[in-house]
Amino acid sequence: MAIGSKELAPDELDTYEDERLLDELKKSKEELFNLRFQSATGQLESHGRLRAVKRDIARIYTVIRERELGIRATPVPLETAPKAKRATKKSAEAVSDDTTTDETAPAEEAK
């Protein structure tokens, strides 16, 4: 990639979750606004940065759209995957506890 941010390479964008992509998009749009403002007032030193930020925004939009279409896979968050397993175990224990309580309740009513 010749132009653009090194941190926003397509390979790097693949690892971002949807929320982080939207945050990066918002930051890039704000930066583009500031660069355009600097350009209009004659304070812009690096005109190539305008082009780089525009391309970064286009890359982010492309990744978002490809995920919507199912072309590009959405990454699984590392933090939520173990929690989901734990929650499943806890919910399974809760279900087994509920069934034992329900089984004893009719027996007590019968007495």
Side-chain angles (χ1 to χ4, degrees), residues 1-13 52 55-56 59:
M1 175 174 66
I3 296 179
S5 301
K6 291 182 181 179
E7 60 198 35
L8 293 181
D11 296 336
E12 187 71 24
L13 290 175
R55 288 186 179 203
D56 288 341
R59 274 189 202 93

Short mmCIF file of all heavy atoms in Angstrom, two decimals, residues 1-13 52 55-56 59:
data_model
loop_
_atom_site.label_atom_id
_atom_site.label_comp_id
_atom_site.label_asym_id
_atom_site.label_seq_id
_atom_site.Cartn_x
_atom_site.Cartn_y
_atom_site.Cartn_z
N MET A 1 0.84 -1.16 0.00
CA MET A 1 0.00 0.00 0.00
C MET A 1 0.89 1.23 0.00
O MET A 1 1.65 1.47 0.93
CB MET A 1 -0.91 -0.06 1.23
CG MET A 1 -1.75 1.14 1.40
SD MET A 1 -2.92 0.98 2.75
CE MET A 1 -1.85 0.91 4.15
N ALA A 2 0.78 2.01 -1.03
CA ALA A 2 1.65 3.17 -1.16
C ALA A 2 1.10 4.38 -0.40
O ALA A 2 1.86 5.12 0.21
CB ALA A 2 1.81 3.51 -2.64
N ILE A 3 -0.19 4.55 -0.44
CA ILE A 3 -0.78 5.73 0.20
C ILE A 3 -1.80 5.29 1.22
O ILE A 3 -2.57 4.37 1.00
CB ILE A 3 -1.45 6.63 -0.86
CG1 ILE A 3 -0.38 7.16 -1.80
CG2 ILE A 3 -2.20 7.77 -0.21
CD1 ILE A 3 -0.90 8.03 -2.89
N GLY A 4 -1.81 5.97 2.34
CA GLY A 4 -2.76 5.63 3.40
C GLY A 4 -2.03 5.36 4.70
O GLY A 4 -0.80 5.37 4.76
N SER A 5 -2.78 5.11 5.72
CA SER A 5 -2.19 4.82 7.02
C SER A 5 -1.72 3.37 7.05
O SER A 5 -2.41 2.48 6.58
CB SER A 5 -3.22 5.04 8.12
OG SER A 5 -3.67 6.36 8.09
N LYS A 6 -0.57 3.16 7.66
CA LYS A 6 -0.07 1.80 7.78
C LYS A 6 -0.94 0.99 8.72
O LYS A 6 -1.09 -0.20 8.57
CB LYS A 6 1.37 1.82 8.29
CG LYS A 6 2.34 2.38 7.28
CD LYS A 6 3.75 2.35 7.80
CE LYS A 6 4.70 2.94 6.78
NZ LYS A 6 6.08 2.95 7.26
N GLU A 7 -1.53 1.65 9.70
CA GLU A 7 -2.37 0.95 10.66
C GLU A 7 -3.73 0.57 10.09
O GLU A 7 -4.43 -0.26 10.65
CB GLU A 7 -2.56 1.80 11.90
CG GLU A 7 -3.22 3.13 11.62
CD GLU A 7 -3.03 4.14 12.72
OE1 GLU A 7 -1.98 4.13 13.35
OE2 GLU A 7 -3.95 4.93 12.93
N LEU A 8 -4.12 1.16 8.99
CA LEU A 8 -5.42 0.85 8.39
C LEU A 8 -5.27 0.04 7.10
O LEU A 8 -6.04 0.21 6.16
CB LEU A 8 -6.20 2.15 8.11
CG LEU A 8 -6.64 2.92 9.34
CD1 LEU A 8 -7.41 4.17 8.95
CD2 LEU A 8 -7.49 2.06 10.25
N ALA A 9 -4.32 -0.84 7.07
CA ALA A 9 -4.15 -1.74 5.94
C ALA A 9 -5.32 -2.71 5.91
O ALA A 9 -5.92 -3.01 6.95
CB ALA A 9 -2.84 -2.50 6.06
N PRO A 10 -5.70 -3.22 4.76
CA PRO A 10 -6.83 -4.15 4.68
C PRO A 10 -6.68 -5.37 5.58
O PRO A 10 -7.66 -5.84 6.16
CB PRO A 10 -6.86 -4.56 3.21
CG PRO A 10 -6.22 -3.43 2.49
CD PRO A 10 -5.19 -2.88 3.43
N ASP A 11 -5.46 -5.88 5.73
CA ASP A 11 -5.25 -7.03 6.61
C ASP A 11 -5.54 -6.65 8.06
O ASP A 11 -6.07 -7.45 8.83
CB ASP A 11 -3.82 -7.54 6.49
CG ASP A 11 -3.52 -8.08 5.11
OD1 ASP A 11 -4.48 -8.47 4.42
OD2 ASP A 11 -2.34 -8.10 4.72
N GLU A 12 -5.17 -5.44 8.43
CA GLU A 12 -5.41 -4.97 9.79
C GLU A 12 -6.91 -4.71 10.01
O GLU A 12 -7.44 -4.99 11.08
CB GLU A 12 -4.62 -3.68 10.03
CG GLU A 12 -4.65 -3.19 11.45
CD GLU A 12 -3.86 -4.07 12.40
OE1 GLU A 12 -2.94 -4.78 11.96
OE2 GLU A 12 -4.21 -4.06 13.59
N LEU A 13 -7.58 -4.20 9.01
CA LEU A 13 -9.02 -3.92 9.13
C LEU A 13 -9.83 -5.19 9.30
O LEU A 13 -10.90 -5.18 9.90
CB LEU A 13 -9.52 -3.13 7.92
CG LEU A 13 -9.04 -1.69 7.81
CD1 LEU A 13 -9.51 -1.08 6.50
CD2 LEU A 13 -9.52 -0.86 8.97
N ALA A 52 -4.47 10.36 1.45
CA ALA A 52 -4.32 9.17 2.27
C ALA A 52 -5.55 8.95 3.15
O ALA A 52 -6.04 7.82 3.28
CB ALA A 52 -3.07 9.30 3.14
N ARG A 55 -8.50 7.68 1.12
CA ARG A 55 -8.36 6.26 0.80
C ARG A 55 -8.64 5.38 2.02
O ARG A 55 -9.20 4.30 1.89
CB ARG A 55 -6.97 5.97 0.24
CG ARG A 55 -6.82 6.52 -1.15
CD ARG A 55 -5.52 6.10 -1.75
NE ARG A 55 -5.43 6.62 -3.10
CZ ARG A 55 -4.67 6.11 -4.04
NH1 ARG A 55 -3.92 5.06 -3.78
NH2 ARG A 55 -4.63 6.65 -5.24
N ASP A 56 -8.23 5.85 3.20
CA ASP A 56 -8.53 5.11 4.42
C ASP A 56 -10.04 4.99 4.63
O ASP A 56 -10.56 3.93 4.99
CB ASP A 56 -7.90 5.78 5.65
CG ASP A 56 -6.40 5.63 5.69
OD1 ASP A 56 -5.86 4.73 5.01
OD2 ASP A 56 -5.75 6.40 6.43
N ARG A 59 -11.40 2.46 2.26
CA ARG A 59 -11.08 1.09 2.70
C ARG A 59 -12.05 0.64 3.79
O ARG A 59 -12.51 -0.50 3.79
CB ARG A 59 -9.66 1.03 3.23
CG ARG A 59 -8.64 0.81 2.20
CD ARG A 59 -7.27 0.53 2.80
NE ARG A 59 -6.27 0.83 1.81
CZ ARG A 59 -5.66 2.01 1.69
NH1 ARG A 59 -5.88 2.97 2.54
NH2 ARG A 59 -4.79 2.20 0.72
#
